[in-house]
Amino acid sequence: MGSSEKIIGVIGGLGNEAMVDLAQKIKCVQGHENNAYVFYGNSRLAYKPHEVGQQWKAEDEPELRRRATARHTARIMQFLGCGPVGLSCNSAHELFREIMTGLPLTFVDMIYETARTLEGIGLKVLVLGVDSLVNSGLYHRALEQYGVEAVSPSSGNMVKVMSAIYDTDFGIKTAKITQQSENLLCEVISEECECQGCGAVILGCTELPLALTPESCIRFMDEGRLPAGLQIVDASAVLAQALVVAGGDAPSDKSLDINPSALVDWFAPATFLLETLDDLVTVQNRIINLSVEYLYGKCRKIEGSYMHLPTLFAVGDVPDFWEKATKIGLEVFNSETDLEEVLPEMFDRHFG
Protein backbone atom coordinates (compact mmCIF):
# COMPACT_ATOMS: atom_id res chain seq x y z
CA MET A 1 0.00 0.00 0.00
CA GLY A 2 2.99 2.33 0.35
CA SER A 3 2.94 5.31 2.70
CA SER A 4 -0.43 5.81 4.37
CA GLU A 5 -2.63 8.81 5.11
CA LYS A 6 -3.73 7.28 8.41
CA ILE A 7 -3.93 4.03 10.31
CA ILE A 8 -7.52 2.82 10.65
CA GLY A 9 -8.26 0.54 13.57
CA VAL A 10 -10.98 -2.11 13.58
CA ILE A 11 -11.96 -3.96 16.74
CA GLY A 12 -13.67 -7.19 15.77
CA GLY A 13 -13.92 -10.09 18.10
CA LEU A 14 -17.63 -10.64 18.50
CA GLY A 15 -17.51 -12.91 15.49
CA ASN A 16 -14.38 -12.99 13.34
CA GLU A 17 -16.55 -13.67 10.29
CA ALA A 18 -18.08 -10.24 10.83
CA MET A 19 -14.60 -8.73 10.93
CA VAL A 20 -13.81 -10.35 7.58
CA ASP A 21 -17.08 -9.02 6.19
CA LEU A 22 -16.13 -5.48 7.27
CA ALA A 23 -12.69 -5.83 5.68
CA GLN A 24 -14.29 -6.86 2.40
CA LYS A 25 -16.62 -3.85 2.54
CA ILE A 26 -13.77 -1.45 3.30
CA LYS A 27 -12.01 -2.86 0.25
CA CYS A 28 -14.93 -1.65 -1.90
CA VAL A 29 -14.71 1.96 -0.67
CA GLN A 30 -12.92 4.39 -2.97
CA GLY A 31 -9.62 5.54 -1.47
CA HIS A 32 -9.28 2.65 0.98
CA GLU A 33 -5.85 1.84 -0.44
CA ASN A 34 -4.48 5.17 0.85
CA ASN A 35 -4.67 3.95 4.45
CA ALA A 36 -3.05 1.32 6.62
CA TYR A 37 -5.12 -0.87 8.93
CA VAL A 38 -4.97 -2.67 12.24
CA PHE A 39 -7.65 -5.33 12.79
CA TYR A 40 -7.88 -6.89 16.23
CA GLY A 41 -10.23 -9.85 16.36
CA ASN A 42 -10.37 -10.14 20.13
CA SER A 43 -12.93 -12.84 20.82
CA ARG A 44 -12.37 -12.34 24.55
CA LEU A 45 -14.67 -9.29 24.31
CA ALA A 46 -17.62 -11.65 23.96
CA TYR A 47 -19.45 -13.50 26.67
CA LYS A 48 -18.38 -17.10 27.16
CA PRO A 49 -20.88 -19.56 25.63
CA HIS A 50 -22.47 -20.44 28.99
CA GLU A 51 -22.86 -16.72 29.82
CA VAL A 52 -24.87 -15.76 26.72
CA GLY A 53 -28.49 -14.82 27.31
CA GLN A 54 -28.12 -14.05 31.00
CA GLN A 55 -28.66 -10.67 32.65
CA TRP A 56 -25.41 -9.47 34.21
CA LYS A 57 -25.00 -6.56 36.60
CA ALA A 58 -22.09 -4.15 36.27
CA GLU A 59 -20.38 -5.66 39.31
CA ASP A 60 -20.68 -9.27 38.08
CA GLU A 61 -17.48 -11.01 36.98
CA PRO A 62 -18.44 -11.40 33.29
CA GLU A 63 -19.11 -7.64 33.03
CA LEU A 64 -15.98 -6.65 34.95
CA ARG A 65 -13.94 -8.95 32.72
CA ARG A 66 -15.44 -7.59 29.48
CA ARG A 67 -14.97 -3.98 30.58
CA ALA A 68 -11.31 -4.51 31.53
CA THR A 69 -10.67 -6.47 28.34
CA ALA A 70 -12.34 -3.79 26.21
CA ARG A 71 -10.18 -1.07 27.74
CA HIS A 72 -7.04 -3.13 27.22
CA THR A 73 -8.08 -3.73 23.59
CA ALA A 74 -8.55 0.00 22.99
CA ARG A 75 -5.16 0.76 24.51
CA ILE A 76 -3.52 -1.75 22.17
CA MET A 77 -5.06 0.13 19.22
CA GLN A 78 -3.64 3.33 20.71
CA PHE A 79 -0.23 1.68 21.21
CA LEU A 80 -0.15 0.60 17.56
CA GLY A 81 -0.83 4.14 16.32
CA CYS A 82 -4.43 4.00 15.14
CA GLY A 83 -6.33 7.25 14.57
CA PRO A 84 -9.98 6.50 13.71
CA VAL A 85 -11.22 3.25 15.26
CA GLY A 86 -14.40 1.34 14.46
CA LEU A 87 -16.11 -1.54 16.21
CA SER A 88 -17.49 -4.49 14.27
CA CYS A 89 -20.25 -5.11 16.80
CA ASN A 90 -23.41 -3.08 17.35
CA SER A 91 -24.36 -4.22 20.84
CA ALA A 92 -20.92 -3.40 22.32
CA HIS A 93 -21.14 0.25 21.23
CA GLU A 94 -22.50 1.47 24.55
CA LEU A 95 -19.50 -0.09 26.33
CA PHE A 96 -16.94 1.29 23.88
CA ARG A 97 -18.42 4.78 23.88
CA GLU A 98 -17.52 4.83 27.56
CA ILE A 99 -14.18 3.07 27.11
CA MET A 100 -13.02 5.48 24.41
CA THR A 101 -13.73 8.55 26.54
CA GLY A 102 -10.41 10.06 27.55
CA LEU A 103 -8.37 8.02 25.06
CA PRO A 104 -6.67 9.83 22.13
CA LEU A 105 -8.63 7.81 19.57
CA THR A 106 -11.42 8.89 17.21
CA PHE A 107 -14.28 6.44 17.72
CA VAL A 108 -16.30 6.07 14.53
CA ASP A 109 -19.72 5.19 15.89
CA MET A 110 -21.49 2.73 13.58
CA ILE A 111 -24.89 3.31 15.17
CA TYR A 112 -24.89 7.10 14.83
CA GLU A 113 -23.36 6.92 11.35
CA THR A 114 -26.11 4.54 10.26
CA ALA A 115 -28.84 6.72 11.78
CA ARG A 116 -27.40 9.80 10.07
CA THR A 117 -27.64 8.14 6.63
CA LEU A 118 -31.37 7.57 7.19
CA GLU A 119 -32.32 11.18 7.90
CA GLY A 120 -35.31 12.07 5.74
CA ILE A 121 -35.99 8.47 4.70
CA GLY A 122 -39.71 8.88 5.34
CA LEU A 123 -40.14 5.21 6.23
CA LYS A 124 -40.74 3.32 9.45
CA VAL A 125 -37.56 1.36 10.23
CA LEU A 126 -37.37 -2.10 11.83
CA VAL A 127 -34.31 -2.56 14.06
CA LEU A 128 -33.10 -6.15 13.81
CA GLY A 129 -30.41 -7.49 16.12
CA VAL A 130 -29.70 -9.42 19.30
CA ASP A 131 -32.10 -8.83 22.15
CA SER A 132 -29.58 -6.85 24.24
CA LEU A 133 -29.11 -4.37 21.39
CA VAL A 134 -32.81 -3.98 20.61
CA ASN A 135 -33.75 -3.67 24.30
CA SER A 136 -31.01 -1.09 24.91
CA GLY A 137 -32.69 1.35 22.52
CA LEU A 138 -29.32 2.42 21.07
CA TYR A 139 -30.64 2.55 17.51
CA HIS A 140 -34.04 3.92 18.51
CA ARG A 141 -32.47 6.92 20.27
CA ALA A 142 -30.00 7.58 17.47
CA LEU A 143 -32.72 7.38 14.81
CA GLU A 144 -35.00 9.66 16.81
CA GLN A 145 -32.32 12.35 16.68
CA TYR A 146 -32.61 12.26 12.89
CA GLY A 147 -36.40 12.22 12.83
CA VAL A 148 -36.73 8.54 11.93
CA GLU A 149 -39.39 6.30 13.51
CA ALA A 150 -37.95 2.98 14.68
CA VAL A 151 -39.74 -0.16 15.82
CA SER A 152 -38.64 -3.45 17.40
CA PRO A 153 -39.63 -7.05 16.64
CA SER A 154 -42.20 -8.71 18.86
CA SER A 155 -40.94 -10.83 21.76
CA GLY A 156 -41.77 -13.99 19.84
CA ASN A 157 -39.85 -12.82 16.79
CA MET A 158 -36.90 -11.79 18.96
CA VAL A 159 -36.64 -15.45 20.01
CA LYS A 160 -36.40 -16.39 16.33
CA VAL A 161 -33.69 -13.77 15.69
CA MET A 162 -31.64 -15.04 18.63
CA SER A 163 -31.98 -18.61 17.35
CA ALA A 164 -30.88 -17.56 13.86
CA ILE A 165 -27.75 -16.03 15.36
CA TYR A 166 -26.89 -18.21 18.37
CA ASP A 167 -28.43 -21.67 17.92
CA THR A 168 -25.55 -24.11 18.41
CA ASP A 169 -26.72 -26.34 15.56
CA PHE A 170 -27.59 -23.86 12.81
CA GLY A 171 -26.97 -20.29 14.05
CA ILE A 172 -24.72 -17.82 12.24
CA LYS A 173 -22.21 -17.80 15.11
CA THR A 174 -21.41 -21.46 14.44
CA ALA A 175 -19.28 -20.21 11.49
CA LYS A 176 -21.74 -21.30 8.83
CA ILE A 177 -24.81 -19.94 7.05
CA THR A 178 -27.73 -22.35 7.02
CA GLN A 179 -31.16 -22.39 5.42
CA GLN A 180 -32.71 -22.54 8.90
CA SER A 181 -31.20 -19.20 9.91
CA GLU A 182 -32.13 -17.61 6.58
CA ASN A 183 -35.71 -18.84 6.91
CA LEU A 184 -36.09 -17.51 10.44
CA LEU A 185 -34.78 -14.06 9.52
CA CYS A 186 -37.00 -13.81 6.44
CA GLU A 187 -40.04 -14.86 8.50
CA VAL A 188 -39.35 -12.22 11.14
CA ILE A 189 -38.76 -9.39 8.68
CA SER A 190 -41.80 -10.24 6.54
CA GLU A 191 -44.13 -10.53 9.53
CA GLU A 192 -42.92 -7.32 11.19
CA CYS A 193 -43.08 -5.33 7.96
CA GLU A 194 -46.66 -6.49 7.40
CA CYS A 195 -47.79 -5.93 10.99
CA GLN A 196 -45.95 -2.66 11.68
CA GLY A 197 -45.80 -1.12 8.22
CA CYS A 198 -42.01 -0.99 7.94
CA GLY A 199 -40.37 0.05 4.69
CA ALA A 200 -36.78 -0.47 5.81
CA VAL A 201 -34.84 -2.76 8.13
CA ILE A 202 -31.49 -2.13 9.81
CA LEU A 203 -29.24 -5.16 10.07
CA GLY A 204 -28.19 -4.17 13.58
CA CYS A 205 -25.98 -7.16 14.31
CA THR A 206 -22.79 -7.61 12.30
CA GLU A 207 -23.58 -11.31 11.83
CA LEU A 208 -26.85 -10.56 10.04
CA PRO A 209 -25.28 -9.30 6.77
CA LEU A 210 -23.52 -12.66 6.50
CA ALA A 211 -26.91 -14.33 5.98
CA LEU A 212 -28.72 -11.34 4.44
CA THR A 213 -26.25 -10.36 1.73
CA PRO A 214 -27.31 -8.02 -1.11
CA GLU A 215 -27.38 -11.03 -3.44
CA SER A 216 -29.40 -13.26 -1.10
CA CYS A 217 -31.89 -10.46 -0.32
CA ILE A 218 -32.59 -9.97 -4.02
CA ARG A 219 -33.20 -13.71 -4.30
CA PHE A 220 -35.43 -13.72 -1.20
CA MET A 221 -37.50 -10.87 -2.68
CA ASP A 222 -37.79 -12.65 -6.04
CA GLU A 223 -38.98 -15.75 -4.18
CA GLY A 224 -41.49 -13.73 -2.14
CA ARG A 225 -39.71 -14.46 1.14
CA LEU A 226 -38.97 -10.77 1.74
CA PRO A 227 -41.22 -7.81 0.84
CA ALA A 228 -40.45 -6.42 -2.61
CA GLY A 229 -38.83 -3.00 -2.46
CA LEU A 230 -37.82 -3.31 1.21
CA GLN A 231 -34.80 -1.13 1.95
CA ILE A 232 -32.09 -3.22 3.62
CA VAL A 233 -29.70 -1.06 5.65
CA ASP A 234 -26.36 -2.77 6.30
CA ALA A 235 -24.74 -0.98 9.24
CA SER A 236 -21.40 -2.70 8.50
CA ALA A 237 -21.32 -1.16 5.02
CA VAL A 238 -22.05 2.25 6.53
CA LEU A 239 -19.17 1.79 8.98
CA ALA A 240 -16.79 0.78 6.17
CA GLN A 241 -17.50 4.01 4.29
CA ALA A 242 -17.27 6.14 7.44
CA LEU A 243 -13.92 4.67 8.50
CA VAL A 244 -12.23 5.34 5.16
CA VAL A 245 -13.26 9.01 5.13
CA ALA A 246 -12.86 9.62 8.88
CA GLY A 247 -10.31 12.01 10.29
CA GLY A 248 -8.20 11.31 13.34
CA ASP A 249 -4.48 11.68 13.94
CA ALA A 250 -2.38 8.86 15.34
CA PRO A 251 -1.81 9.11 19.12
CA SER A 252 1.51 10.72 20.06
CA ASP A 253 2.17 8.80 23.30
CA LYS A 254 4.76 6.13 22.47
CA SER A 255 5.45 4.99 26.03
CA LEU A 256 2.18 3.30 27.00
CA ASP A 257 2.25 0.58 29.62
CA ILE A 258 -0.23 -1.94 28.23
CA ASN A 259 0.47 -4.91 30.44
CA PRO A 260 -2.92 -6.54 31.08
CA SER A 261 -4.42 -6.25 34.54
CA ALA A 262 -5.63 -9.27 36.50
CA LEU A 263 -9.18 -8.76 35.23
CA VAL A 264 -8.20 -8.70 31.54
CA ASP A 265 -9.04 -11.91 29.69
CA TRP A 266 -5.81 -12.02 27.72
CA PHE A 267 -4.94 -14.59 25.08
CA ALA A 268 -2.02 -13.60 22.86
CA PRO A 269 -3.49 -13.26 19.36
CA ALA A 270 -2.16 -14.92 16.23
CA THR A 271 -0.41 -11.86 14.78
CA PHE A 272 0.25 -11.07 11.12
CA LEU A 273 1.93 -8.31 9.11
CA LEU A 274 0.29 -8.31 5.67
CA GLU A 275 0.32 -6.20 2.52
CA THR A 276 -3.36 -6.05 1.52
CA LEU A 277 -6.87 -6.47 2.86
CA ASP A 278 -7.22 -9.41 0.48
CA ASP A 279 -4.39 -11.09 2.41
CA LEU A 280 -6.25 -10.46 5.67
CA VAL A 281 -9.47 -11.98 4.32
CA THR A 282 -7.60 -15.05 3.06
CA VAL A 283 -5.66 -15.63 6.27
CA GLN A 284 -8.55 -15.01 8.66
CA ASN A 285 -10.91 -17.25 6.69
CA ARG A 286 -8.28 -19.98 6.71
CA ILE A 287 -7.93 -19.64 10.48
CA ILE A 288 -11.71 -19.97 10.88
CA ASN A 289 -11.76 -23.09 8.70
CA LEU A 290 -8.84 -24.65 10.55
CA SER A 291 -10.57 -23.87 13.85
CA VAL A 292 -13.67 -25.73 12.69
CA GLU A 293 -11.54 -28.68 11.53
CA TYR A 294 -9.63 -28.78 14.80
CA LEU A 295 -12.80 -28.81 16.87
CA TYR A 296 -14.42 -31.42 14.63
CA GLY A 297 -11.45 -33.68 15.37
CA LYS A 298 -12.21 -33.21 19.08
CA CYS A 299 -15.95 -33.92 18.57
CA ARG A 300 -16.68 -30.26 19.30
CA LYS A 301 -17.81 -27.21 17.32
CA ILE A 302 -17.73 -23.42 17.44
CA GLU A 303 -20.46 -22.20 19.79
CA GLY A 304 -20.35 -18.42 19.71
CA SER A 305 -17.86 -15.61 19.24
CA TYR A 306 -15.77 -16.40 22.32
CA MET A 307 -14.47 -19.59 20.72
CA HIS A 308 -12.73 -17.83 17.84
CA LEU A 309 -8.95 -17.69 18.04
CA PRO A 310 -7.94 -14.05 18.77
CA THR A 311 -6.13 -12.49 15.80
CA LEU A 312 -4.23 -9.27 15.17
CA PHE A 313 -3.49 -7.98 11.67
CA ALA A 314 -1.42 -5.05 10.48
CA VAL A 315 -2.10 -4.25 6.82
CA GLY A 316 0.10 -1.84 4.90
CA ASP A 317 2.47 0.73 6.37
CA VAL A 318 1.99 0.49 10.15
CA PRO A 319 5.19 2.06 11.56
CA ASP A 320 7.21 -0.10 13.95
CA PHE A 321 4.54 -2.78 14.06
CA TRP A 322 7.00 -5.66 14.30
CA GLU A 323 8.93 -3.95 17.08
CA LYS A 324 5.78 -3.03 19.04
CA ALA A 325 4.22 -6.48 18.67
CA THR A 326 7.44 -8.11 19.88
CA LYS A 327 7.54 -5.72 22.84
CA ILE A 328 4.22 -7.07 24.09
CA GLY A 329 5.27 -10.68 23.56
CA LEU A 330 3.70 -11.43 20.18
CA GLU A 331 5.26 -13.51 17.41
CA VAL A 332 4.58 -11.94 14.02
CA PHE A 333 3.72 -14.07 10.99
CA ASN A 334 3.09 -13.17 7.34
CA SER A 335 1.05 -14.37 4.38
CA GLU A 336 3.63 -17.08 3.63
CA THR A 337 3.37 -18.65 7.08
CA ASP A 338 2.33 -22.31 7.13
CA LEU A 339 -0.78 -22.01 9.28
CA GLU A 340 -1.16 -25.78 9.57
CA GLU A 341 2.24 -25.82 11.28
CA VAL A 342 1.94 -22.86 13.68
CA LEU A 343 -1.72 -22.93 14.71
CA PRO A 344 -2.20 -26.39 16.33
CA GLU A 345 -0.26 -25.38 19.43
CA MET A 346 -2.33 -22.19 19.71
CA PHE A 347 -5.52 -24.19 19.27
CA ASP A 348 -4.46 -26.58 22.04
CA ARG A 349 -4.06 -23.64 24.45
CA HIS A 350 -7.07 -21.67 23.23
CA PHE A 351 -9.63 -24.45 23.08
CA GLY A 352 -8.19 -26.26 26.09
Side-chain angles (χ1 to χ4, degrees), residues 176-195:
K176 59 181 180 288
I177 302 301
T178 64
Q179 186 173 353
Q180 294 101 310
S181 63
E182 291 177 338
N183 288 343
L184 283 173
L185 294 172
C186 287
E187 288 173 15
V188 169
I189 293 171
S190 294
E191 181 178 323
E192 295 296 341
C193 286
E194 180 178 355
C195 293

Side-chain angles (χ1 to χ4, degrees), residues 87-103:
L87 174 64
S88 182
C89 174
N90 288 271
S91 57
H93 266 63
E94 193 164 32
L95 170 61
F96 271 90
R97 286 172 184 171
E98 177 186 336
I99 292 296
M100 292 293 187
T101 301
L103 294 179

Side-chain angles (χ1 to χ4, degrees), residues 99-138:
I99 292 296
M100 292 293 187
T101 301
L103 294 179
L105 299 167
T106 300
F107 185 47
V108 181
D109 193 304
M110 173 164 53
I111 291 174
Y112 279 121
E113 291 291 340
T114 301
R116 184 174 59 82
T117 66
L118 294 177
E119 184 175 20
I121 189 175
L123 299 171
K124 188 183 293 186
V125 177
L126 173 67
V127 177
L128 204 65
V130 298
D131 51 12
S132 60
L133 172 81
V134 174
N135 294 337
S136 73
L138 287 174

Side-chain angles (χ1 to χ4, degrees), residues 257-278:
D257 177 11
I258 57 168
N259 292 318
S261 70
L263 277 174
V264 172
D265 190 0
W266 170 254
F267 186 95
T271 304
F272 296 84
L273 180 58
L274 304 172
E275 293 185 3
T276 69
L277 290 172
D278 281 325

Side-chain angles (χ1 to χ4, degrees), residues 40-303:
Y40 187 8
N42 189 3
S43 61
R44 292 316 208 249
L45 294 169
Y47 288 121
K48 298 179 182 182
H50 68 275
E51 298 169 346
V52 173
Q54 301 184 52
Q55 297 297 317
W56 300 107
K57 298 178 182 178
E59 64 271 20
D60 290 337
E61 192 276 335
E63 283 299 329
L64 293 173
R65 183 188 70 236
R66 289 178 71 243
R67 187 173 302 277
T69 305
R71 181 165 181 80
H72 183 68
T73 299
R75 285 172 64 81
I76 285 179
M77 306 304 274
Q78 177 186 350
F79 178 68
L80 295 176
C82 298
V85 174
L87 174 64
S88 182
C89 174
N90 288 271
S91 57
H93 266 63
E94 193 164 32
L95 170 61
F96 271 90
R97 286 172 184 171
E98 177 186 336
I99 292 296
M100 292 293 187
T101 301
L103 294 179
L105 299 167
T106 300
F107 185 47
V108 181
D109 193 304
M110 173 164 53
I111 291 174
Y112 279 121
E113 291 291 340
T114 301
R116 184 174 59 82
T117 66
L118 294 177
E119 184 175 20
I121 189 175
L123 299 171
K124 188 183 293 186
V125 177
L126 173 67
V127 177
L128 204 65
V130 298
D131 51 12
S132 60
L133 172 81
V134 174
N135 294 337
S136 73
L138 287 174
Y139 265 109
H140 297 69
R141 290 192 295 273
L143 289 164
E144 185 179 11
Q145 291 185 28
Y146 290 96
V148 179
E149 182 180 0
V151 297
S152 307
S154 68
S155 57
N157 277 335
M158 276 306 314
V159 172
K160 293 181 181 180
V161 174
M162 291 296 284
S163 293
I165 296 171
Y166 282 105
D167 189 281
T168 56
D169 289 324
F170 61 80
I172 301 169
K173 284 184 178 288
T174 60
K176 59 181 180 288
I177 302 301
T178 64
Q179 186 173 353
Q180 294 101 310
S181 63
E182 291 177 338
N183 288 343
L184 283 173
L185 294 172
C186 287
E187 288 173 15
V188 169
I189 293 171
S190 294
E191 181 178 323
E192 295 296 341
C193 286
E194 180 178 355
C195 293
Q196 301 202 61
C198 303
V201 56
I202 291 177
L203 305 183
C205 172
T206 48
E207 270 75 30
L208 293 177
L210 305 177
L212 298 171
T213 66
E215 295 77 17
S216 68
C217 286
I218 291 173
R219 173 167 56 86
F220 296 150
M221 290 180 192
D222 289 342
E223 295 170 352
R225 296 165 65 190
L226 285 179
L230 179 68
Q231 185 166 334
I232 309 290
V233 183
D234 181 350
S236 295
V238 173
L239 177 60
Q241 178 72 38
L243 281 169
V244 172
V245 302
D249 296 328
S252 58
D253 187 355
K254 307 296 184 183
S255 59
L256 278 178
D257 177 11
I258 57 168
N259 292 318
S261 70
L263 277 174
V264 172
D265 190 0
W266 170 254
F267 186 95
T271 304
F272 296 84
L273 180 58
L274 304 172
E275 293 185 3
T276 69
L277 290 172
D278 281 325
D279 293 335
L280 183 155
V281 170
T282 298
V283 172
Q284 179 63 83
N285 278 336
R286 184 62 181 143
I287 291 173
I288 293 171
N289 292 335
L290 289 172
S291 300
V292 172
E293 292 174 13
Y294 176 92
L295 287 171
Y296 181 80
K298 304 288 184 180
C299 298
R300 297 173 62 191
K301 57 187 176 182
I302 288 181
E303 297 178 346

